[in-house]
Amino acid sequence: MAQDTLTIVDNRTNRPYSLSIEGGAVRATDFRQIKTSPDDFGVMTYDPAFMNTASCRSSITFIDGERGILEYRGYPIEVLAEHCTFLEVAYLLLFGELPKEAELKNWVHAITHHTMLHENTKKFMEGFRHDAHPMAMLVSTVAALATVYPEARDIHDPSNRLLQIERLIGKMPSIAAMSYRHSLGFPYVYPDNDLSYSANFMNMLWKMVEPKYAANPVLARALDILFILHADHEQNCSTNAMRSVGSSHADPYLATAAAAAALSGPLHGGANEEVLKMLDEIGSRENVPSYVKKVREGHGKLMGFGHRVYKNYDPRAKIIKWTAEQVFEVTGRNPKLDIAMELERIALDDDYFVQRKLYPNVDFYSGIIYQAMGFKPEMFTVLFAIPRTVGWLAQWQEMLSDVDQKIARPRQIYIGQRARQFVPMEKRALHAVTSH
Ligand code: ACO
């Protein structure tokens, strides 16, 4: 019978080694026994950007990138997007099961009653420049919450952890809405506990002088669906930041701020903002072929295309396309959709993109919906950070209770010089320095 082992022969010593295979993986530390002498450190694995390294065992989110499958706790994303609210999905991601009615009621109550921000936080936000990027405001303000809740540092107490989780999920839309209104110069709006998670977010964004904000139900549902789609995506760049910073036992506000900072980059959550810039640059459907040709020739990338894991259509992009149609019935059609669809059609028929299995990802269509709803592109990544906070926190909890985990500390292969002779200042040679 075949054994779940891998036999390796070290050709330097002719010695064979047998490594166990578990869950399709060998343990990188097992390679350390492969040595040429007793004082040899042993063989390391070299994997920049984690191209083929599992950093954890997780039971939260499953992705089959070849087949375009995404599941939260075993439920297909399409089913959750159709039948659940965002907070229901948040409960599922955090606690592993869909909530019963009473559990959901308590959960929604807990989150709703943590949406208020301390007045000091408001004052802190007022200090940002009028043109500060909303994502930079969000990252800084989430980090600043650590000063408001110093007890969050006790990460070993599960009930204390849960309280911080509820606060973070509750307060994220409030901070996001404040950063939005700050950039417009509008007064901040306080949360309304009568409204659902997304409707309250819309209230804090768009309420003007009316005594009570009435959210359009189609737009509130569309926002809820977009939140469900963005809630978790296993070990991506920002989740890895959350786990890595959290592995030093930093408090959850600081770890979440670090994760949000990772999300802000244009290769990750910042791509949705870049997609809109790209569509603006293309300008019209007629210009699409020449733009694709430029990318094919190595000038820039198609933003919103390609994914480290999906080598097929991102299942979230399909649901977003469907959601876009519902939104456009309320807001009117965003003309950028025609350019985006033409871009997708031409790219998916082009050898360069076909060979590299580059398909639209979640960010390709989300910005077009957000823009139709009235958001400026600078807000798009903030809209991503609100729901992803749930995923970050679920992954953080899982990491803390995983006995295999320790402080994240990669190895390196040192390629610099060693044991150099110190040179006194007057004897040092001039060498070119490009800039200061
Ligand atoms: N446009 C043009 N070419 C691309 C694109 C793109 N969007 N994405 C990848 N490629 C090419 C690369 O140049 C490379 O070509 P080569 O083999 O000739 O060198 C090949 O496809 C493989 O790409 P890599 O960059 O090696 O793939 P990687 O897994 O490292 O990157 C990433 C994935 C960062 C998402 C990349 O596809 C990209 O930059 N896309 C655009 C930004 C984007 O949309 N990011 C959002 C991702 S979803 C999310 O984070 C929420």
Side-chain angles (χ1 to χ4, degrees):
M1 208 173 87
Q3 283 181 323
D4 284 344
T5 56
L6 176 74
T7 302
I8 293 177
V9 176
D10 183 348
N11 292 324
R12 299 170 301 176
T13 58
N14 280 330
R15 226 177 276 149
Y17 296 86
S18 176
L19 312 188
S20 311
I21 304 175
E22 257 179 78
V26 289
R27 285 192 180 250
T29 45
D30 282 355
F31 283 82
R32 290 276 293 279
Q33 60 184 299
I34 305 175
K35 299 175 180 219
T36 49
S37 62
D39 58 351
D40 181 359
F41 182 78
V43 170
M44 290 192 294
T45 54
Y46 176 58
D47 189 10
F50 295 106
M51 294 294 285
N52 192 36
T53 294
S55 65
C56 63
R57 284 144 49 91
S58 179
S59 55
I60 301 172
T61 292
F62 172 80
I63 301 175
D64 182 334
E66 293 297 326
R67 295 191 182 81
I69 295 172
L70 169 62
E71 292 170 1
Y72 294 162
R73 300 279 187 188
Y75 293 101
I77 190 70
E78 295 81 359
V79 176
L80 296 172
E82 189 180 347
H83 298 287
C84 294
T85 63
F86 168 66
L87 285 185
E88 206 176 340
V89 170
Y91 186 101
L92 171 71
L93 283 167
L94 282 156
F95 306 111
E97 295 297 338
L98 284 166
K100 287 174 97 74
E101 203 177 337
E103 288 168 330
L104 182 61
K105 211 167 149 228
N106 287 341
W107 174 240
V108 171
H109 182 271
I111 301 300
T112 308
H113 286 79
H114 283 297
T115 48
M116 287 285 273
L117 291 169
H118 193 288
E119 282 296 291
N120 278 350
T121 312
K122 198 175 110 181
K123 289 199 193 109
F124 177 84
M125 292 204 74
E126 279 164 358
F128 287 118
R129 282 173 58 125
H130 68 282
D131 56 354
H133 195 288
M135 197 57 191
M137 285 194 260
L138 179 106
V139 170
S140 319
T141 310
V142 171
L145 288 183
T147 67
V148 183
Y149 305 111
E151 73 276 16
R153 296 166 70 97
D154 182 9
I155 52 126
H156 299 292
D157 172 3
S159 63
N160 185 37
R161 278 209 304 267
L162 180 59
L163 175 62
Q164 313 315 323
I165 287 172
E166 289 168 354
R167 282 180 174 149
L168 268 161
I169 298 172
K171 289 177 203 318
M172 215 62 175
S174 313
I175 299 172
M178 278 193 183
S179 67
Y180 174 73
R181 291 186 71 105
H182 184 89
S183 60
L184 295 173
F186 291 164
Y188 305 147
V189 172
Y190 287 96
D192 180 341
N193 286 1
D194 293 342
L195 302 176
S196 73
Y197 192 78
S198 348
N200 174 48
F201 179 46
M202 291 164 75
N203 157 66
M204 291 188 291
L205 288 166
W206 293 316
K207 183 169 183 284
M208 294 309 275
V209 291
E210 65 274 38
K212 182 121 185 129
Y213 182 79
N216 180 299
V218 175
L219 299 189
R221 179 65 192 144
L223 212 48
D224 225 42
I225 292 175
L226 286 161
F227 283 175
I228 292 171
L229 301 183
H230 287 89
D232 193 52
H233 212 234
E234 51 117 309
Q235 308 313 311
N236 50 78
C237 177
S238 56
T239 302
N240 183 57
M242 181 82 190
R243 280 180 173 263
S244 185
V245 173
S247 76
S248 75
H249 294 176
D251 85 50
Y253 298 100
L254 299 177
T256 302
L263 184 74
S264 71
L267 296 188
H268 191 14
N272 51 15
E273 188 177 334
E274 299 301 316
V275 171
L276 262 280
K277 283 189 203 153
M278 177 185 75
L279 295 177
D280 275 341
E281 193 190 328
I282 296 173
S284 71
R285 287 184 58 175
E286 296 70 56
N287 298 335
V288 169
S290 58
Y291 194 88
V292 172
K293 183 167 173 273
K294 222 171 66 180
V295 171
R296 201 189 318 120
E297 287 165 357
H299 306 293
K301 280 182 170 177
L302 272 196
M303 297 314 285
F305 260 72
H307 200 276
R308 172 65 58 81
V309 181
Y310 291 120
K311 301 301 168 199
N312 198 326
Y313 214 99
D314 182 335
R316 300 168 300 173
K318 275 187 204 149
I319 305 169
I320 288 186
K321 248 170 125 176
W322 175 86
T323 311
E325 282 160 28
Q326 317 296 309
V327 169
F328 295 157
E329 279 186 21
V330 177
T331 61
R333 194 177 164 83
N334 185 340
K336 302 232 170 63
L337 182 67
D338 294 329
I339 305 175
M341 283 170 64
E342 182 68 355
L343 196 56
E344 177 184 329
R345 190 185 68 77
I346 294 191
L348 294 188
D349 202 34
D350 188 302
D351 273 356
Y352 175 95
F353 295 89
V354 174
Q355 275 163 16
R356 290 170 179 76
K357 299 187 177 172
L358 299 170
Y359 290 85
N361 59 49
V362 69
D363 285 328
F364 191 62
Y365 286 106
S366 64
I368 298 172
I369 304 186
Y370 292 143
Q371 192 176 53
M373 285 180 166
F375 290 106
K376 291 190 299 182
E378 299 86 82
M379 269 303 282
F380 295 172
T381 316
V382 171
L383 296 168
F384 192 156
I386 295 171
R388 183 54 62 87
T389 299
V390 168
W392 292 330
L393 291 166
Q395 301 271 350
W396 172 69
Q397 283 255 80
E398 190 180 63
M399 182 267 303
L400 289 176
S401 56
D402 181 348
V403 291
D404 274 359
Q405 293 294 336
K406 285 172 174 282
I407 186 165
R409 206 304 185 183
R411 294 277 170 186
Q412 65 163 8
I413 300 168
Y414 180 67
I415 56 166
Q417 303 185 49
R418 293 285 322 279
R420 297 177 77 184
Q421 284 289 322
F422 178 76
V423 184
M425 182 87 73
E426 63 281 7
K427 296 209 172 135
R428 290 176 201 165
L430 269 180
H431 59 281
V433 176
T434 43
S435 68
H436 281 288

Short mmCIF file of all heavy atoms in Angstrom, two decimals, residues 281 290-302 352-353:
data_model
loop_
_atom_site.label_atom_id
_atom_site.label_comp_id
_atom_site.label_asym_id
_atom_site.label_seq_id
_atom_site.Cartn_x
_atom_site.Cartn_y
_atom_site.Cartn_z
N GLU A 281 -9.01 56.24 -17.83
CA GLU A 281 -7.92 56.44 -18.78
C GLU A 281 -8.31 55.87 -20.15
O GLU A 281 -8.02 56.47 -21.18
CB GLU A 281 -6.67 55.73 -18.24
CG GLU A 281 -5.40 56.12 -18.96
CD GLU A 281 -4.23 55.21 -18.55
OE1 GLU A 281 -4.20 54.76 -17.38
OE2 GLU A 281 -3.38 54.95 -19.42
N SER A 290 -6.68 48.92 -28.10
CA SER A 290 -5.32 49.47 -28.05
C SER A 290 -4.79 49.42 -26.62
O SER A 290 -3.58 49.22 -26.40
CB SER A 290 -5.28 50.91 -28.60
OG SER A 290 -6.16 51.72 -27.85
N TYR A 291 -5.68 49.54 -25.62
CA TYR A 291 -5.23 49.47 -24.22
C TYR A 291 -4.75 48.06 -23.89
O TYR A 291 -3.69 47.86 -23.30
CB TYR A 291 -6.36 49.89 -23.26
CG TYR A 291 -5.86 50.16 -21.86
CD1 TYR A 291 -5.40 51.42 -21.50
CD2 TYR A 291 -5.81 49.14 -20.91
CE1 TYR A 291 -4.91 51.67 -20.22
CE2 TYR A 291 -5.32 49.38 -19.63
CZ TYR A 291 -4.88 50.65 -19.29
OH TYR A 291 -4.40 50.89 -18.02
N VAL A 292 -5.53 47.07 -24.32
CA VAL A 292 -5.17 45.66 -24.06
C VAL A 292 -3.83 45.35 -24.76
O VAL A 292 -2.97 44.66 -24.19
CB VAL A 292 -6.29 44.71 -24.54
CG1 VAL A 292 -5.86 43.25 -24.47
CG2 VAL A 292 -7.55 44.91 -23.69
N LYS A 293 -3.65 45.89 -25.96
CA LYS A 293 -2.41 45.65 -26.71
C LYS A 293 -1.21 46.20 -25.91
O LYS A 293 -0.17 45.55 -25.79
CB LYS A 293 -2.52 46.34 -28.08
CG LYS A 293 -1.35 46.14 -28.99
CD LYS A 293 -1.70 46.58 -30.41
CE LYS A 293 -0.48 46.53 -31.31
NZ LYS A 293 0.32 47.75 -31.29
N LYS A 294 -1.41 47.41 -25.35
CA LYS A 294 -0.36 48.04 -24.56
C LYS A 294 0.04 47.15 -23.37
O LYS A 294 1.21 46.94 -23.09
CB LYS A 294 -0.91 49.38 -24.02
CG LYS A 294 0.08 50.52 -24.10
CD LYS A 294 -0.56 51.85 -23.76
CE LYS A 294 -1.01 51.95 -22.32
NZ LYS A 294 -1.63 53.20 -21.92
N VAL A 295 -0.98 46.61 -22.68
CA VAL A 295 -0.72 45.75 -21.52
C VAL A 295 0.02 44.49 -21.97
O VAL A 295 0.99 44.06 -21.36
CB VAL A 295 -2.04 45.39 -20.79
CG1 VAL A 295 -1.80 44.33 -19.72
CG2 VAL A 295 -2.67 46.63 -20.17
N ARG A 296 -0.47 43.92 -23.09
CA ARG A 296 0.15 42.69 -23.62
C ARG A 296 1.63 42.93 -23.94
O ARG A 296 2.47 42.05 -23.79
CB ARG A 296 -0.60 42.28 -24.89
CG ARG A 296 -0.41 40.84 -25.24
CD ARG A 296 -0.94 40.44 -26.60
NE ARG A 296 -2.22 40.98 -26.98
CZ ARG A 296 -2.43 41.75 -28.04
NH1 ARG A 296 -1.43 42.10 -28.82
NH2 ARG A 296 -3.65 42.18 -28.34
N GLU A 297 1.94 44.16 -24.38
CA GLU A 297 3.34 44.47 -24.73
C GLU A 297 4.17 44.83 -23.50
O GLU A 297 5.30 45.30 -23.61
CB GLU A 297 3.36 45.62 -25.76
CG GLU A 297 2.91 45.14 -27.14
CD GLU A 297 2.58 46.30 -28.07
OE1 GLU A 297 2.65 47.46 -27.64
OE2 GLU A 297 2.24 46.01 -29.24
N GLY A 298 3.57 44.68 -22.30
CA GLY A 298 4.35 44.86 -21.07
C GLY A 298 4.24 46.24 -20.45
O GLY A 298 4.97 46.57 -19.52
N HIS A 299 3.32 47.10 -20.97
CA HIS A 299 3.16 48.43 -20.37
C HIS A 299 1.99 48.40 -19.41
O HIS A 299 0.83 48.52 -19.79
CB HIS A 299 2.92 49.50 -21.46
CG HIS A 299 3.98 49.50 -22.51
ND1 HIS A 299 5.28 49.88 -22.23
CD2 HIS A 299 3.96 49.14 -23.82
CE1 HIS A 299 6.00 49.75 -23.32
NE2 HIS A 299 5.23 49.29 -24.31
N GLY A 300 2.28 48.17 -18.15
CA GLY A 300 1.23 48.19 -17.11
C GLY A 300 0.47 46.88 -17.03
O GLY A 300 0.77 45.90 -17.73
N LYS A 301 -0.52 46.88 -16.13
CA LYS A 301 -1.34 45.68 -15.89
C LYS A 301 -2.79 46.04 -16.10
O LYS A 301 -3.16 47.21 -15.99
CB LYS A 301 -1.17 45.24 -14.44
CG LYS A 301 0.08 44.46 -14.18
CD LYS A 301 0.12 44.03 -12.75
CE LYS A 301 1.25 43.03 -12.52
NZ LYS A 301 1.36 42.64 -11.12
N LEU A 302 -3.61 45.04 -16.34
CA LEU A 302 -5.06 45.26 -16.32
C LEU A 302 -5.47 45.16 -14.86
O LEU A 302 -5.47 44.07 -14.29
CB LEU A 302 -5.80 44.18 -17.10
CG LEU A 302 -6.01 44.36 -18.59
CD1 LEU A 302 -7.08 43.40 -19.07
CD2 LEU A 302 -6.38 45.78 -18.95
N TYR A 352 -2.55 36.26 -24.54
CA TYR A 352 -1.74 36.65 -23.38
C TYR A 352 -2.48 36.33 -22.09
O TYR A 352 -1.93 35.74 -21.16
CB TYR A 352 -1.43 38.16 -23.45
CG TYR A 352 -0.69 38.69 -22.23
CD1 TYR A 352 0.70 38.80 -22.22
CD2 TYR A 352 -1.39 39.10 -21.08
CE1 TYR A 352 1.37 39.27 -21.10
CE2 TYR A 352 -0.72 39.57 -19.96
CZ TYR A 352 0.66 39.66 -19.98
OH TYR A 352 1.32 40.13 -18.87
N PHE A 353 -3.76 36.73 -22.02
CA PHE A 353 -4.54 36.55 -20.79
C PHE A 353 -4.99 35.10 -20.63
O PHE A 353 -5.02 34.57 -19.52
CB PHE A 353 -5.75 37.50 -20.78
CG PHE A 353 -5.32 38.94 -20.72
CD1 PHE A 353 -5.06 39.66 -21.87
CD2 PHE A 353 -5.11 39.55 -19.50
CE1 PHE A 353 -4.62 40.98 -21.81
CE2 PHE A 353 -4.66 40.86 -19.42
CZ PHE A 353 -4.41 41.58 -20.58
#
